[in-house]
Amino acid sequence: MRMLRLPEVLELTGLSRSTIFRLVQTGNFPPSVKLTTRTIGWFSTDIETWIAARAAASEDQAND
């Protein structure tokens, strides 16, 4: 399992830093994991799953 740092998460999702942290606070984005005292990351599988769920939800809306 690979850990993604914030720049990678920003690139993969297309979201801004503030949007990611707002979604984490509301429980709508995978939580970060503290790696060191000043470093956080996300599990790549969590981000991939979140992206896939968003894509599926978007397809469902398009089919309605």
Side-chain angles (χ1 to χ4, degrees):
M1 186 176 329
R2 185 165 173 251
M3 294 299 292
L4 303 176
R5 298 286 306 277
L6 183 58
E8 292 174 288
V9 174
L10 295 173
E11 186 175 328
L12 287 171
T13 62
L15 300 174
S16 70
R17 181 182 191 280
S18 59
T19 298
I20 287 175
F21 287 109
R22 186 177 67 247
L23 290 173
V24 168
Q25 284 183 336
T26 61
N28 294 310
F29 195 80
S32 60
V33 176
K34 193 166 190 157
L35 302 174
T36 67
T37 56
R38 299 182 62 187
T39 306
I40 61 170
W42 285 263
F43 291 111
S44 59
T45 53
D46 288 349
I47 300 303
E48 292 164 2
T49 301
W50 183 85
I51 291 170
R54 297 290 290 204
S58 179
E59 287 177 15
D60 288 346
Q61 285 182 345
N63 293 330
D64 285 344

